[in-house]
């Protein structure tokens, strides 16, 4: 689903997330807020167990590669 050979953008991210939650129904996605430009801040959650790990990507506007990396990992 996630094509790591293309430059990521918010539309592709949304499309990939929607495809992933259809294929893997155990993935949960929630919106935790919005940027000043109205872009969604989303969190995906999967798995169970006593330990939790948080991965964060695209902290700044031009860091699209971290979104691709995290989405590839999620898939």
């Amino acid at each position: 689903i996630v094509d790591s050979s293309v430059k990521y953008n918010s539309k592709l991210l949304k499309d990939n997330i929607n495809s992933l939650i259809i294929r893997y129904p155990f993935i949960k996605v929630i919106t935790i807020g919005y940027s000043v430009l109205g872009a969604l801040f989303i969190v995906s959650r999967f798995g169970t167990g006593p330990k939790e790990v948080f991965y964060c990507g695209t902290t700044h506007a031009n860091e699209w590669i971290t979104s691709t990396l995290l989405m590839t990992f999620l898939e």
Side-chain angles (χ1 to χ4, degrees), residues 29 34 37 41 43 46-47 56 62 70 72-74:
V29 177
Y34 299 89
L37 298 176
F41 290 142
V43 171
F46 64 97
C56 180
N62 293 321
L70 289 177
T72 301
F73 177 71
L74 179 61

Side-chain angles (χ1 to χ4, degrees), residues 34-55:
Y34 299 89
S35 74
V36 294
L37 298 176
L40 294 174
F41 290 142
I42 56 170
V43 171
S44 59
R45 185 179 188 126
F46 64 97
T48 59
K51 294 185 180 182
E52 295 183 12
V53 178
F54 176 76
Y55 297 98

